[in-house]
């Protein structure tokens, strides 16, 4: 009999393979962090070191959060119900000026705990003190593509943008070859940078072979500011400065014209991160996702930060993405399978992980299990429908990255969650004082 390290057995497996096969009474064999076999339970018979019959569950590829600021958990609920620029410049930036590396490490770990416990195995993060975000991801075991936010003005972690790019270069080299952690170049947006910064970001990405990640065309206000300052719309600015010619993720892409979508479609290295909760909460508008998909643009899905969502739950995000584009009389827009693709295969592409986002032979063993005994998951006719429309994320009973179980029926296997909660209580007291709440 063939040998493997781990054999997972389940009632259903949503494989996300090329034919989008869903298997019933199936099993996955895992060896050295990779999937070595998947198929009907009888056909995947192995002499395994560990056999886990997970029973009445469905396995899915771990979800990919393509745009987030995990450390912003420390600001969750501190300022709600405001438009983007007022929220950002009057509430968030002043509190972020008080940031420390310790706050970022603990708050990121809380973000990763939330992700792992709701079925997310990989994320693309942009923030400050990103070295501490990466260290927190290492503690949690998450896959994380992280980049230091680069701004025209000083940040809590960098005295100027040059230092931001220097840190990016150093970290990219330090994490080079890491199986789970990597580094991207993150100009924050066109309205918080200038031409020199954007050119330098593009050059660094090209020279070091890094992905680029930027907020783009998030609101009509952003477009107006960009026009007033540079006489150029956000997409045109990125195109002219060559940002679309390197592998990049554009977060939001709400205020765009059809011609601009054609421009994005003509740049095959571009991926969009759609962030429906954040766009709805900040009143930013609705990204034209059906028009993007019709043009073949890679559309991934992200939660954005927990101060503008306020969750890091990709099941919530899938449900909202699936519903948002139907509200104007198009119930056939964004079907469940398309939305699941956004959260898996397209997300993996947006992070540069070409093999991930699928449960197929050779893919990394990033797998989650959802409990089908939950009342909202019964009866079962269509697992993809349940994943997008019925699941809340709290059905997650197991989360595995690289063949390693990181979350197992309520327990985090790599860190002390109770101690983390105590640490976050201390950070809460600090934020309340700084925010003038007490
Ligand atoms: Zn964002």
């Amino acid at each position: 009999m063939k040998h493997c390290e781990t054999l997972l057995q389940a009632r259903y497996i949503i494989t996300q393979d090329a034919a989008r096969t869903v298997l019933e009474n199936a099993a996955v064999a895992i060896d050295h962090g990779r999937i070595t076999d998947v198929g009907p339970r009888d056909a995947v018979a192995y002499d395994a070191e560990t056999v886990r019959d997970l029973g009445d569950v469905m396995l899915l590829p771990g979800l990919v959060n393509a745009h987030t600021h995990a450390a912003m958990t420390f600001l969750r609920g501190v300022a709600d119900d405001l438009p983007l620029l007022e929220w950002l410049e009057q509430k968030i930036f002043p509190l972020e000026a008080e940031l420390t590396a310790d706050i970022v490490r603990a708050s990121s770990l809380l973000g990763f705990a939330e992700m792992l416990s709701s079925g997310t195995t990989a994320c693309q993060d942009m923030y400050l003190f990103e070295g501490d975000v990466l260290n927190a991801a290492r503690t949690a075991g998450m896959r994380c593509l992280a980049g230091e936010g680069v701004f025209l003005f000083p940040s809590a972690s960098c005295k100027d943008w040059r230092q931001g790019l220097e840190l990016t270069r150093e970290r990219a080299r330090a994490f080079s070859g890491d199986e789970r952690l990597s580094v991207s170049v993150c100009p924050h947006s066109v309205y918080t940078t200038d031409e020199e910064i954007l050119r330098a970001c593009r050059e660094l990405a090209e020279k070091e072979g890094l992905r680029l990640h930027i907020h783009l065309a998030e609101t009509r206000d952003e477009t107006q500011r960009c026009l007033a300052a540079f006489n150029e719309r956000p997409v045109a600015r990125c195109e002219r400065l060559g940002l679309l010619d390197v592998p990049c993720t554009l977060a939001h892409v709400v205020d765009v014209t059809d011609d601009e979508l054609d421009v994005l479609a003509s740049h095959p290295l571009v991926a969009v991160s759609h962030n429906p909760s954040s766009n709805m909460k900040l009143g930013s508008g609705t990204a034209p996702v059906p028009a993007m998909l019709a043009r073949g643009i890679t559309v991934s899905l992200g939660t954005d930060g927990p101060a503008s969502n306020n969750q890091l739950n990709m099941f919530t995000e899938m449900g909202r993405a699936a519903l948002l584009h139907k509200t104007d009389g198009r119930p056939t827009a964004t079907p469940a399978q398309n939305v699941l693709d956004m959260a898996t295969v397209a997300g993996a592409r947006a992070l540069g992980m070409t093999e991930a986002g699928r449960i197929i032979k050779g893919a990394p063993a990033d797998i989650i299990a959802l409990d089908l005994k939950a009342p909202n998951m019964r009866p079962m006719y269509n697992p993809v429908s349940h994943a997008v429309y019925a699941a809340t994320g709290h059905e997650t009973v197991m989360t595995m990255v690289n063949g390693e179980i990181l979350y197992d029926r309520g327990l985090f296997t790599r860190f002390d969650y109770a101690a983390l909660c105590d640490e976050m209580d201390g950070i809460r007291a600090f934020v309340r004082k700084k925010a003038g709440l007490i």
Side-chain angles (χ1 to χ4, degrees):
M1 195 182 263
K2 290 176 286 185
H3 174 268
C4 72
E5 283 172 359
T6 307
L7 189 68
L8 300 178
Q9 297 168 324
R11 186 167 165 205
Y12 294 100
I13 299 179
I14 298 179
T15 65
Q16 291 293 87
D17 65 4
R20 299 297 186 262
T21 308
V22 176
L23 299 164
E24 192 167 354
N25 291 322
V28 191
I30 297 161
D31 221 15
H32 292 96
R34 296 221 162 233
I35 295 164
T36 53
D37 201 357
V38 55
R41 194 180 287 229
D42 298 343
V44 185
Y46 279 75
D47 166 30
E49 288 163 34
T50 306
V51 178
R52 284 194 66 157
D53 184 351
L54 293 157
D56 202 359
V57 304
M58 65 177 180
L59 302 184
L60 288 84
L63 304 183
V64 180
N65 188 343
H67 175 70
T68 191
H69 316 284
M72 289 181 83
T73 52
F74 84 105
L75 295 174
R76 189 191 333 254
V78 86
D80 298 314
D81 310 327
L82 294 169
L84 172 74
L85 294 176
E86 187 182 340
W87 172 81
L88 192 62
E89 291 171 351
Q90 292 177 26
K91 301 290 180 183
I92 300 302
F93 283 167
L95 284 166
E96 285 180 339
E98 307 288 342
L99 261 184
T100 64
D102 262 353
I103 294 177
V104 169
R105 178 193 44 74
S107 305
S108 302
L109 190 55
L110 180 65
F112 298 140
E114 186 179 353
M115 290 187 205
L116 290 172
S117 64
S118 56
T120 293
T121 53
C123 69
Q124 177 161 227
D125 197 86
M126 177 201 298
Y127 206 52
L128 311 172
F129 297 102
E130 278 291 325
D132 297 281
V133 176
L134 285 162
N135 286 332
R138 177 167 278 158
T139 300
M142 286 278 302
R143 273 188 215 282
C144 182
L145 171 60
E148 188 78 25
V150 175
F151 303 86
L152 186 56
F153 40 84
S155 73
S157 54
C158 292
K159 67 178 192 310
D160 59 24
W161 63 268
R162 286 192 172 82
Q163 190 187 2
L165 288 187
E166 195 45 47
L167 276 176
T168 304
R169 188 194 325 269
E170 280 169 21
R171 280 186 202 133
R173 291 179 182 173
F175 286 91
S176 159
D178 194 292
E179 263 186 319
R180 303 189 199 186
L181 308 176
S182 50
V183 169
S184 62
V185 184
C186 290
H188 174 265
S189 62
V190 291
Y191 61 92
T192 51
T193 55
D194 64 13
E195 184 159 333
E196 187 185 12
I197 297 174
L198 292 177
R199 282 190 193 281
C201 286
R202 183 240 143 109
E203 273 166 31
L204 179 63
E206 199 166 36
K207 200 166 158 220
E208 300 286 327
L210 305 177
R211 292 190 63 86
L212 202 135
H213 179 194
I214 185 170
H215 295 96
L216 194 75
E218 183 172 357
T219 61
R220 219 176 289 168
D221 278 355
E222 174 185 329
T223 305
Q224 294 311 317
R225 270 197 194 193
C226 194
L227 280 168
F230 314 117
N231 197 27
E232 204 170 27
R233 289 175 58 89
V235 170
R237 187 163 177 79
C238 283
E239 186 192 19
R240 183 174 62 79
L241 298 175
L243 270 63
L244 309 181
D245 298 323
V246 292
C248 65
T249 300
L250 311 177
H252 300 298
V253 193
V254 170
D255 188 36
V256 280
T257 63
D258 284 349
D259 287 349
E260 288 168 338
L261 290 180
D262 290 339
V263 167
L264 298 182
S266 69
H267 290 81
L269 300 178
V270 165
V272 168
S273 173
H274 176 40
N275 313 294
S277 299
S278 172
N279 295 158
M280 286 193 274
K281 185 167 181 246
L282 294 168
S284 302
T286 304
V289 167
M292 293 177 192
L293 294 173
R295 285 168 172 78
I297 296 170
T298 297
V299 183
S300 57
L301 197 60
T303 59
D304 210 352
S308 65
N309 183 309
N310 296 356
Q311 307 175 27
L312 295 171
N313 181 332
M314 286 293 290
F315 282 94
T316 307
E317 217 56 39
M318 284 199 291
R320 289 176 183 167
L323 297 179
L324 174 60
H325 304 284
K326 298 174 168 65
T327 55
D328 59 356
R330 289 183 296 169
T332 55
T334 52
Q337 182 65 63
N338 288 23
V339 174
L340 185 61
D341 289 355
M342 289 161 65
T344 55
V345 286
R349 217 176 298 145
L351 269 69
M353 309 185 306
T354 45
E355 298 170 300
R358 300 172 170 86
I359 300 181
I360 57 171
K361 196 174 168 183
D366 296 1
I367 298 171
I368 61 171
L370 296 191
D371 181 12
L372 297 181
K373 291 193 289 301
N376 56 311
M377 302 297 272
R378 303 192 84 87
M380 172 61 81
Y381 303 106
N382 178 346
V384 172
S385 167
H386 274 22
V388 173
Y389 290 114
T392 65
H394 301 298
E395 304 79 7
T396 305
V397 287
M398 185 214 71
T399 303
M400 169 185 274
V401 173
N402 230 31
E404 178 190 357
I405 294 175
L406 300 174
Y407 178 76
D408 195 2
R409 294 191 186 272
L411 296 174
F412 297 96
T413 59
R414 279 195 173 208
F415 61 94
D416 182 345
Y417 180 66
L420 175 63
C421 290
D422 289 345
E423 197 174 358
M424 289 308 297
D425 280 348
I427 293 171
R428 169 181 173 271
F430 173 82
V431 170
R432 279 167 65 91
K433 204 169 153 197
K434 293 293 176 190
L437 298 175
I438 51 171

